[in-house]
Amino acid sequence: MSGAGTFVPATVRAVRAVADEVRQVELVPDDGARPYPPGSHLDLALEVDGLPVVRSYSVVGAAPDDGAYRIAVKLLPESRGGSRRVHGLAAGDRLELRHPTSHFELDPRRPGYLLVAGGIGITPLVGMAEVLARRHPHQAPVRLAYAGRRRAAMPFVEHLRALLGDDAVVTAAGEDGERLDLAAEVAALHADGEAYLCGPPRLTDAVRACWEAQGRPPRRLRTETFGTAGRHPTEPFDVEVRDHGLTVHVPRDRTLLGALHDAGVGMVWDCLRGECGLCTVRVLGRSTDGQPVVDHRDVFLDAAEREDSTRLCACVSRAVGGRLAIDTGYRP
């Protein structure tokens, strides 16, 4: 019997488009799919840019009854390569996965629920909506607020409307000039209700601000990490590695860690998700106006450290164009 933390072989059963640039992949592990709570994620062992990596993806829908796990992945040109690798999968391909686990579990005892998603952040909320929809309709009201840049790139909308009802699902597409009224959505939630949120940093910050402004308890707002989204467009940049006496160019489609690896700069790393902090380097240079030149995309550094911008996690974070000077800690 393999443990939850063990990688097991799996087969890709099917791949299909569920929205523009979003593919749903069905994965059948050799030892069988297992029940999991809504909000769970699974890990895939992949190779990206010549490096072995582990990427985590939310499992779409409630626990499987047909032997397969489903993930939905958006093709992100600004990603670290995982989405490109997954979009290249086809039926019959073999890979390894870890069975689903959850740090984002649904509390089924609340008197009301607000689900808030941004972009591909909808994936962990689909299973929650399915579980809540199976309850008596008057047991606990459920609303879903879903924002995306383009309506055609927002998957599962019709499925969610069928589950929760048209009046319970509100969507906003940036291309149409639409925005969610987050303050109104939070205000409409039962005083003892709970909100579940998955999306990019700006959406997360906005929901938290509304939540705090209305005096709601922090423990009733649950969030899923969306750690690599970035607050700025991904751009190429140069990095001066002062302890090695060389300058490295970091292309738009390469991470700083990957570019350092290509240049022969020895680095310590593990998670490649901005979580463990092993690849952290010192930032020695700032822009001329005194503002940090780092787009922090990790979940390792705290808010004060990000504001200070004297360190960055090389596996995910980047410079906002231009040139950056760092010290990797190497001493000959």
Side-chain angles (χ1 to χ4, degrees):
M1 182 72 71
S2 60
T6 304
F7 279 96
V8 299
T11 301
V12 177
R13 186 169 73 183
V15 179
R16 69 182 182 94
V18 290
D20 284 359
E21 299 183 332
V22 180
R23 282 191 160 195
Q24 180 171 281
V25 180
E26 296 183 10
L27 302 163
V28 180
D30 286 5
D31 60 353
R34 304 174 183 176
Y36 58 82
S40 293
H41 67 274
L42 57 76
D43 296 330
L44 295 183
L46 305 170
E47 183 174 299
V48 175
D49 293 333
L51 295 174
V53 301
V54 176
R55 292 288 185 262
S56 299
Y57 298 102
S58 296
V59 189
V60 178
D65 56 8
D66 60 354
Y69 300 130
R70 291 171 176 81
I71 60 173
V73 180
K74 180 176 177 60
L75 181 61
L76 299 172
E78 300 176 0
S79 81
R80 296 160 290 145
S83 71
R84 293 195 305 272
R85 178 69 185 90
V86 173
H87 272 243
L89 293 173
D93 285 352
R94 298 279 288 170
L95 72 171
E96 292 191 335
L97 61 77
R98 272 197 293 240
H99 288 284
T101 58
S102 180
H103 307 293
F104 190 46
E105 291 190 29
L106 177 72
D107 182 347
R109 303 165 298 176
R110 308 319 310 167
Y113 297 89
L114 173 62
L115 310 178
V116 184
I120 199 62
I122 192 64
T123 51
L125 303 183
V126 174
M128 294 185 182
E130 290 177 356
V131 168
L132 293 171
R134 288 200 294 261
R135 305 171 67 184
H136 189 279
H138 301 294
Q139 185 172 349
V142 183
R143 283 187 60 80
L144 170 70
Y146 183 13
R149 292 181 181 177
R150 296 188 302 116
R151 197 170 301 280
M154 297 168 65
F156 310 118
V157 173
E158 295 311 312
H159 174 62
L160 291 163
R161 290 191 190 280
L163 284 172
L164 303 176
D166 287 342
D167 293 340
V169 177
V170 58
T171 61
E175 67 177 358
D176 298 329
E178 299 170 342
R179 295 176 62 88
L180 295 174
D181 188 343
L182 296 172
E185 294 295 338
V186 172
L189 179 64
H190 190 286
D192 293 321
E194 201 152 79
Y196 293 80
L197 163 66
C198 185
R202 289 180 182 175
L203 177 64
T204 300
D205 292 347
V207 174
R208 283 177 174 159
C210 292
W211 197 263
E212 293 172 3
Q214 297 186 25
R216 291 182 175 262
R219 68 182 182 279
R220 295 294 179 220
L221 174 60
R222 303 195 180 189
T223 61
E224 175 75 306
T225 297
F226 208 89
T228 62
R231 298 174 183 272
H232 303 274
T234 299
E235 302 175 1
F237 63 98
D238 293 321
V239 59
E240 179 187 354
V241 191
R242 290 185 181 173
D243 51 311
H244 284 262
L246 55 82
T247 297
V248 175
H249 179 69
V250 184
R252 185 175 182 272
D253 60 352
R254 198 81 167 107
T255 65
L256 171 56
L257 180 64
L260 293 173
H261 178 269
D262 294 344
V265 177
M267 293 285 292
V268 178
W269 51 270
D270 183 23
C271 73
L272 296 178
R273 296 189 298 271
E275 296 175 0
C276 71
L278 286 179
C279 67
T280 302
V281 298
R282 289 179 59 208
V283 177
L284 305 177
R286 288 171 176 264
S287 60
T288 55
D289 61 4
Q291 295 300 314
V293 295
V294 177
D295 187 9
H296 292 285
R297 303 183 177 191
D298 64 281
V299 293
F300 175 76
L301 301 177
D302 62 29
E305 290 174 311
R306 294 181 188 181
E307 179 68 24
D308 189 44
S309 279
T310 57
R311 295 196 297 161
L312 69 82
C313 290
C315 67
V316 293
S317 298
R318 307 181 64 84
V320 185
R323 188 182 184 93
L324 189 69
I326 65 170
D327 185 324
T328 69
Y330 169 74
R331 297 295 179 265

